[in-house]
């Protein structure tokens, strides 16, 4: 597993993450602060006087190596995402990246060569009778993407994001980011804010091959591994960290020396947090 560290002032969160991590628990303020720290890093505003004076700026580390905005791409997914803005294909559009990556596939090469040839023929025809001459441009996935106008069409119906269910909308965003990150050489971190993780959403998450994914959720309607969860509740603990389970749960709460008892306790506790069944409580 890799260690992702998010540090904001004196507060630090260490996530042991293989491919994805579910952030669960009822401490909504702490969860929101973690999301805000990630957003602050992504936006990359100049440091304020307050941040400088109080050393309150955000740092992100991967395996103890500090990252900059140039070394990692951070994407946010949520039910409130303004997808209609994506359709404008502005410079930072995820949809624009996804389209360019798809059109860069070798299966489109012959089509682009044909378009290039037709563009040259059009310029030659125009130039023969005019003093003002047209200079043909190289048609590439990037230049072509600037000429098109995308729309969302499902089952032959033109739609907007508000026509989709929350599950469908989250899956749509995951598909776009999968395409947008398919050929990038940078680290990618995807932040998913989703109240319920369904089988379909988890399947889409698993399809993304070259990114770390953090999922803030309330409950899960799918199978999960305990070590894929990070608990922010009455106490905070990464459930992939057996040493922390032993020290925090076995020693401090259960007063036992058997790690398995601590793991079993947390399995039941997580079920309660996710609203899956009654179990044990922590005082």
């Amino acid at each position: 597993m890799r260690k992702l560290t998010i540090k904001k002032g004196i507060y630090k969160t260490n996530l042991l993450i293989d491919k994805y991590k579910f952030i669960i628990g009822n401490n909504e303020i702490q969860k929101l602060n973690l999301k805000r720290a990630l957003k602050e890093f992504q936006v990359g505003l100049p440091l304020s006087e307050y941040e400088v004076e109080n050393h309150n700026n955000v740092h992100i580390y991967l395996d103890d190596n500090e990252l900059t905005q140039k070394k990692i791409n951070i994407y946010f997914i949520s039910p409130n995402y303004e997808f209609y803005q994506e359709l404008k294909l502005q410079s930072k559009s995820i949809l624009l990246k996804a389209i360019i990556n798809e059109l860069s596939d070798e299966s489109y090469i012959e089509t682009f060569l044909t378009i290039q040839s037709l563009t040259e023929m059009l310029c030659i025809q125009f130039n023969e009778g005019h003093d003002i001459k047209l200079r043909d441009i190289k048609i590439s996935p990037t230049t072509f993407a600037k000429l098109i106008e995308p729309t969302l069409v499902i089952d032959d119906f033109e739609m907007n994001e508000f026509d989709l269910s929350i599950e469908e909308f989250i899956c749509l965003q995951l598909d776009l980011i999968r395409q947008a990150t398919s050929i990038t050489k940078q680290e990618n971190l995807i932040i998913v804010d989703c109240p319920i993780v369904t089988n379909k959403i988890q399947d889409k998450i698993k399809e993304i091959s070259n990114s770390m994914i953090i999922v803030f959720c309330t409950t899960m309607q799918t199978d999960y591994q305990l070590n894929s969860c990070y608990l922010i509740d009455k106490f905070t603990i990464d459930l992939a960290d057996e040493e922390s389970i032993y020290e925090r749960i076995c020693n401090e709460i259960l007063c036992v020396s058997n790690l398995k008892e601590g793991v079993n306790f947390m399995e039941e506790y997580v079920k309660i947090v996710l609203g899956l069944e009654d179990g044990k409580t922590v005082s």
Side-chain angles (χ1 to χ4, degrees), residues 21-26 28 31 35 192-197 214-220 229 273-274:
K21 199 78 174 183
F22 298 110
I23 308 297
I24 61 174
N26 296 312
E28 298 300 331
K31 288 161 66 178
K35 281 185 276 189
V192 183
D193 197 352
C194 176
I196 302 173
V197 178
I214 299 175
V215 184
F216 289 85
C217 61
T218 303
T219 189
M220 287 185 269
C229 297
V273 169
L274 295 176

Side-chain angles (χ1 to χ4, degrees), residues 38-65:
L38 290 164
K39 187 66 177 179
E40 180 181 346
F41 183 87
Q42 181 209 37
V43 172
L45 294 176
L47 294 181
S48 66
E49 292 181 356
Y50 179 86
E51 284 180 310
V52 173
E53 182 68 24
N54 294 276
H55 305 287
N56 200 43
N57 53 315
V58 177
H59 298 270
I60 293 183
Y61 303 84
L62 184 58
D63 296 327
D64 297 324
N65 297 310

Side-chain angles (χ1 to χ4, degrees), residues 8 17 26 38 41 44 61 76 86 90 105 108 113 127 132 136 138 141 168 173 217 261 270 282:
K8 167 75 171 175
I17 183 169
N26 296 312
L38 290 164
F41 183 87
Y61 303 84
F76 282 84
E86 285 291 324
Q90 296 173 340
D105 186 82
Y108 291 92
L113 290 175
N127 291 342
I132 300 297
D136 63 277
K138 179 175 175 58
E168 290 170 333
Q173 293 174 70
C217 61
E261 289 187 45
V270 166
V282 176

Side-chain angles (χ1 to χ4, degrees), residues 75-172:
Y75 301 92
F76 282 84
I77 290 175
S78 83
N80 299 317
Y81 188 73
E82 295 180 341
F83 182 74
Y84 64 90
Q85 296 286 0
E86 285 291 324
L87 297 175
K88 298 178 182 179
L89 298 184
Q90 296 173 340
S91 60
K92 295 184 179 181
S93 166
I94 298 171
L95 178 58
L96 178 62
K97 290 183 181 179
I99 290 173
I100 291 173
N101 284 356
E102 172 64 24
L103 293 176
S104 298
D105 186 82
E106 61 181 13
S107 62
Y108 291 92
I109 291 176
E110 290 298 324
T111 303
F112 274 111
L113 290 175
T114 300
I115 296 173
Q116 182 70 55
S117 178
L118 291 172
T119 303
E120 293 171 358
M121 290 173 59
L122 183 64
C123 290
I124 291 172
Q125 182 178 345
F126 179 90
N127 291 342
E128 287 177 351
H130 298 84
D131 293 331
I132 300 297
K133 307 299 183 183
L134 300 182
R135 181 182 300 169
D136 63 277
I137 60 173
K138 179 175 175 58
I139 301 297
S140 67
T142 300
T143 56
F144 182 77
K146 294 178 181 178
L147 303 175
I148 60 176
E149 185 176 319
T151 58
L152 177 62
V153 179
I154 298 177
D155 296 331
D156 296 326
F157 289 99
E158 188 171 327
M159 306 173 70
N160 60 50
E161 62 256 47
F162 303 107
D163 296 318
L164 302 175
S165 68
I166 291 178
E167 180 186 60
E168 290 170 333
F169 190 38
I170 295 296
C171 288
L172 173 64

